[in-house]
């Protein structure tokens, strides 16, 4: 399996609601697990599970979460003319190949399609993430050495 097939498999597993998928080939074995609750076929089990899982204080914390999501929205309106480079996988985001090396892309740098902008470590594999657009880096949206999710915005790019 190549990295593209693994990425597609991760996307499929995350969208399907399956908890675990294991594939074994001649010289290759991969297991993908999610943290989601299992999908039940029995209709009585899901009816009981949400009652136990829904804590009473949750409605109180909901307004705080709504307020937190409203703050970035005006910024998103300002960035309408920018293109977002998103993470193609789950892993750890690195701006450079090692701590003593310069970053692949900094704010203000001109990039072209195919230029490496960061590395994402997934399952002890370091994957170079290439830009699909040409332009100027306007903002780095993720801190170095922090975890990223699939499809999480990494960079804002002003297209050429």
């Amino acid at each position: 399996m190549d990295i593209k097939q693994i990425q597609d498999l991760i996307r499929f597993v995350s969208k399907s609601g399956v908890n675990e998928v294991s594939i074994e080939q001649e010289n290759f074995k991969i297991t993908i697990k999610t943290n989601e609750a299992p999908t039940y076929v029995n209709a009585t089990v899901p009816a009981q599970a949400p009652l136990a899982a829904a804590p009473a204080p949750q409605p109180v914390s909901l307004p705080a979460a709504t307020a937190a999501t409203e703050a970035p929205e005006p910024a998103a309106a300002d960035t309408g003319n920018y293109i977002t480079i998103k993470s193609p996988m789950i892993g750890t985001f690195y701006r450079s190949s090692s701590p003593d090396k310069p970053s692949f892309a900094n704010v203000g740098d001109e990039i072209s399609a195919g230029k490496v902008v960061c590395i994402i470590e997934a399952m002890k594999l370091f994957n170079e993430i290439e830009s699909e657009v040409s332009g100027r880096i306007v903002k780095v949206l993720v801190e170095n050495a922090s975890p990223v999710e699939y499809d999480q915005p990494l960079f804002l790019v002003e297209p050429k």
Side-chain angles (χ1 to χ4, degrees):
M1 274 186 124
D2 65 5
I3 191 69
K4 182 69 175 154
Q5 291 172 319
I6 293 171
Q7 291 171 348
D8 291 340
L9 182 61
I10 291 170
R11 278 187 220 115
F12 173 75
V13 170
S14 67
K15 291 178 183 177
S16 69
V18 175
N19 288 351
E20 184 176 338
V21 171
S22 186
I23 296 177
E24 200 168 326
Q25 295 178 347
E26 292 175 21
N27 297 330
F28 182 80
K29 181 179 178 181
I30 185 170
T31 301
I32 300 172
K33 297 179 183 179
T34 64
N35 292 332
E36 297 177 13
T39 306
Y40 295 103
V41 178
N42 185 349
T44 60
V45 176
Q48 295 169 354
L51 292 175
Q58 188 171 355
V60 175
S61 64
L62 242 162
T66 306
T69 57
E70 289 175 7
E73 287 182 31
D78 296 343
T79 61
N81 58 338
Y82 297 138
I83 297 173
T84 305
I85 298 176
K86 296 181 178 181
S87 176
M89 65 186 70
I90 298 171
T92 304
F93 172 85
Y94 294 104
R95 293 188 62 192
S96 62
S97 58
S98 69
D100 57 335
K101 301 282 184 182
S103 297
F104 290 112
N106 294 306
V107 174
D109 287 356
E110 292 290 327
I111 60 167
S112 57
K115 181 186 185 302
V116 175
V117 292
C118 66
I119 291 177
I120 295 182
E121 177 190 4
M123 296 184 291
K124 300 197 182 206
L125 293 174
F126 291 88
N127 304 286
E128 291 183 340
I129 307 304
E130 297 177 353
S131 173
E132 295 179 358
V133 297
S134 296
R136 184 178 58 85
I137 300 285
V138 175
K139 188 170 185 179
V140 180
L141 303 170
V142 180
E143 292 294 320
N144 192 42
S146 60
V148 292
E149 295 292 325
Y150 167 72
D151 217 26
Q152 178 177 341
L154 304 174
F155 298 92
L156 284 181
V157 179
E158 182 179 32
K160 282 188 179 180

